[in-house]
Amino acid sequence: MRILWLALAIPCLSFGHELTPTYPEMRPAYLDGLLVTSMSMFNCMEDVDYYELGVFDSDFNDIPFASSNKLFHVEHGERVDFDVYIRVVDRDRAFYICTISKLLAAPETSNAVISSKVCSRIAK
């Protein structure tokens, strides 16, 4: 029983949040000129409930994309599934799909804040 608990707890001990799959494959979408992939994010952070979605090239420059939301509300211990759409013309430029934790500003907290960015590399 201890091994099972440890196996379930390790992902939350080592990461702020997780994004899967690690190497998503883009496939043709139902609309011409678009590609889509399905992603899933799990929130292990107790103090963060909001995450921003982004698509980037190899130098982390923004790539235009579409999704149901670009800002997700995910409670601690919850998972959210979503699709990411990019244009076919951006296929060779798009390199990463990332989620970035968004921290709420609070006047009583210190200026020391840790944010996390987790990326999946788009399979070529």
Side-chain angles (χ1 to χ4, degrees):
M1 185 66 171
R2 289 182 190 174
I3 293 174
L4 177 61
W5 181 86
L6 185 60
L8 294 173
I10 285 177
C12 287
L13 294 175
S14 58
F15 299 108
H17 63 284
E18 70 178 47
L19 184 64
T20 54
T22 305
Y23 298 100
E25 295 185 16
M26 302 304 294
R27 63 186 184 280
Y30 62 92
L31 295 172
D32 288 337
L34 292 178
L35 300 171
V36 64
T37 191
S38 297
M39 303 293 295
S40 183
M41 190 193 79
F42 182 76
N43 180 13
C44 291
M45 299 179 74
E46 292 182 9
D47 56 342
V48 178
D49 291 335
Y50 291 91
Y51 294 88
E52 181 180 9
L53 179 63
V55 177
F56 304 95
D57 67 11
S58 60
D59 295 322
F60 284 96
N61 297 310
D62 292 328
I63 299 288
F65 74 99
S67 184
S68 57
N69 292 311
K70 292 187 180 181
L71 186 67
F72 292 96
H73 180 253
V74 187
E75 295 284 339
H76 173 254
E78 289 186 357
R79 179 175 301 279
V80 64
D81 299 321
F82 55 93
D83 291 331
V84 177
Y85 296 85
I86 64 168
R87 300 178 302 184
V88 171
V89 297
D90 291 327
R91 174 190 304 200
D92 294 332
R93 290 184 338 135
F95 208 75
Y96 298 110
I97 297 172
C98 302
T99 51
I100 303 107
S101 61
K102 304 305 276 182
L103 304 169
L104 298 176
E108 64 276 356
T109 62
S110 70
N111 290 336
V113 179
I114 296 175
S115 178
S116 63
K117 177 188 277 189
V118 175
C119 297
S120 292
R121 183 175 175 190
I122 298 172
K124 301 292 179 179

